[in-house]
Amino acid sequence: MLTHIQIKNFALIDDLSVELDGGFNVLTGETGAGKSIIIDAITTVLGGRASSEFIRTGADRASVEAVFDISGDERACARAEELGFECEDGALLLSREITTAGKSQCRVNGRISTLSMMKDLTSGLLDIHGQHEHQSLLGAETHIDILDRWLGADATTLRAHCEELYGELRTVRGELERLKRDQRERARMLDLYEFQRTEIDAAQLVAGEDEELAAERSRLANAEKLYELAGEVYDGLNGSTELTGAVDLISAAVTSLRSMAAIDESLAQTLADLETALYSAEQAQDGVREYRDDIEFNPTRLEAVEERIDLIRTLRRKYGDSIEEIVAYGSELAKKINDLTHSEERTAELGQKIERVEDELMGVARRLRDVRKSGAAKFSSHVESQLAELAMGSTKFEVAFEDAQPSAKGIDIVEFVISPNPGEPLKPLAKIASGGELSRLMLALKTVMAGSDRVPTLIFDEIDTGIGGRTAQVLGEKLAAVGRSAQVLCVTHLAQIASRADVQFSVQKLVEGSRTVVRLDRVEGESRVEELARMLGGAEDSRAALEHAREMLGP
């Protein structure tokens, strides 16, 4: 539901704020007062045409804000969240700013949005119906949805089954299409996969061996240097012809310290530390000797290690960044090879499944067609009855059916066709010349659809063109009836319609200083009586017009 509108520097509006109620709201005022400007502003914030021509003279930008309460609309909340906009408190704030450069910026709940996202988000929130705006009704693709919603559970249950089966059919067809690629392409891919699998299997990779090979290569490549350095370490510990070894020096120090400790017990810990050092040095001496003796000078083994490392590097470049990834890819290849090898069997299996699902889909779609056709005549009759009460008693309305390829909606193309005047052939709604007729048709449909339509806010812009008297009264009653299941905002010149509204706003064009401005005021009590009297054509002080207005409002 649209709860608030804020318009700044838009056309003749400086700053206008409107709080709307649920139910039936009307905008009234003299011709040219600026009522259509407000509708234009709402259209703009919903993603309609934006032009620098809309900007108030003397301003550098215009802006429109609209607040929707979608707390009870699960579909709208889900769509908002799907597009990345939170609606925890159920409020949806839409804003659009237009600059003198002709550019516009859209925001949803304060976050920048694209125009397409704005349109997508608001497409199910509000419909504008008037001389030029008939979004839902003129789109023939929506007629099947309108009919199915009116038909209720019998149609919607079957349609949901069609959607499920069609989704399954598309999935199976997609898999079959992939399998039916050119035979040479399949053979080429099979050769490639088998080559890759053979190459990976032949390598007999072991997790972690690349690190072990790197370490071994380093030892083999530096064997001579390691042997030389190990010898130096051993000579340093064991001694050589040129110097005394560290072990002998520490041993001599231990002997001397033992003699000292025998005299001074305070040296006992120092002696223990030095004895530990001697033990460690002797252990290191033995370890270095064994390491030196085990050093391998093996060019053949080094070459083999280098080749193994090159092989792993090649496989990494082709199949993965690690041995684990290469092995995993090899496992995937086994499945791909199996799928290609047995593709003929799978193709036959999928073909049979497609036939089975197609048959089931056609069966459900035919039952859905029967439900639609059996209910279409009754639906048309209800619409014609409503049109008759709206001074369109000669209008013929029918639901036309054409065959369609099976889809999520069944096997029908549904379109509403109409003949406004006797003797004229039935034609699609888009070919109706009169906007007033189309608007009244929309009202008739909304009345018939009351309770099943899912658009929460409806705007009717001067749908009273060319009617009056009793028809105007009926039109007002119908708008009020629609207002009991949806929010209605109506621009009207007729007191019969305005008097049926829950809330009435008066729009005026005034001159303040040297500027023309549009003002909007909520009229209640005696102010509303006076506005209705003006609409009835009476003078401002006409007692008869005032009394008539009071009678129209009732007790």
Side-chain angles (χ1 to χ4, degrees), residues 338-495:
N338 181 71
D339 289 345
L340 288 174
T341 303
H342 298 89
S343 61
E344 292 184 2
E345 294 91 329
R346 181 60 177 163
T347 297
E349 179 184 335
L350 290 173
Q352 293 174 357
K353 187 173 183 179
I354 286 173
E355 290 182 4
R356 185 171 67 253
V357 176
E358 283 179 338
D359 289 344
E360 189 174 357
L361 174 59
M362 285 298 297
V364 175
R366 289 190 185 101
R367 296 205 304 275
L368 178 56
R369 168 178 284 179
D370 291 342
V371 170
R372 285 169 175 161
K373 286 194 171 183
S374 63
K378 186 176 181 181
F379 177 77
S380 298
S381 176
H382 284 325
V383 174
E384 287 181 352
S385 295
Q386 294 296 327
L387 290 172
E389 294 180 10
L390 294 169
M392 292 178 68
S394 300
T395 300
K396 296 294 294 181
F397 177 92
E398 289 185 10
V399 180
F401 286 85
E402 290 185 20
D403 293 336
Q405 291 298 315
S407 71
K409 295 183 179 183
I411 52 174
D412 302 313
I413 295 175
V414 171
E415 185 172 12
F416 299 155
V417 291
I418 191 171
S419 171
N421 303 304
E424 291 186 2
L426 292 162
K427 296 181 294 185
L429 303 187
K431 294 184 179 180
I432 295 177
S434 169
E437 288 175 333
L438 191 54
S439 295
R440 276 178 272 171
L441 173 59
M442 172 56 77
L443 181 57
L445 283 169
K446 292 298 179 183
T447 305
V448 171
M449 295 291 294
S452 61
D453 209 329
R454 301 177 68 182
V455 179
T457 299
L458 306 169
I459 296 179
F460 294 93
D461 185 11
E462 298 189 11
I463 63 170
D464 51 15
T465 302
I467 65 172
R470 172 59 185 163
T471 302
Q473 184 178 344
V474 172
L475 181 58
E477 291 171 354
K478 291 192 179 301
L479 286 167
V482 174
R484 288 191 283 272
S485 60
Q487 181 189 41
V488 174
L489 179 60
C490 178
V491 176
T492 183
H493 292 283
L494 297 179

Side-chain angles (χ1 to χ4, degrees), residues 115-143:
L115 186 61
S116 62
M117 290 172 67
M118 181 85 85
K119 290 180 177 179
D120 191 5
L121 189 58
T122 61
S123 62
L125 294 180
L126 185 149
D127 263 348
I128 299 178
H129 310 288
Q131 300 299 310
H132 304 290
E133 299 290 340
H134 308 280
Q135 304 100 306
S136 295
L137 195 56
L138 283 181
E141 66 278 0
T142 66
H143 296 177

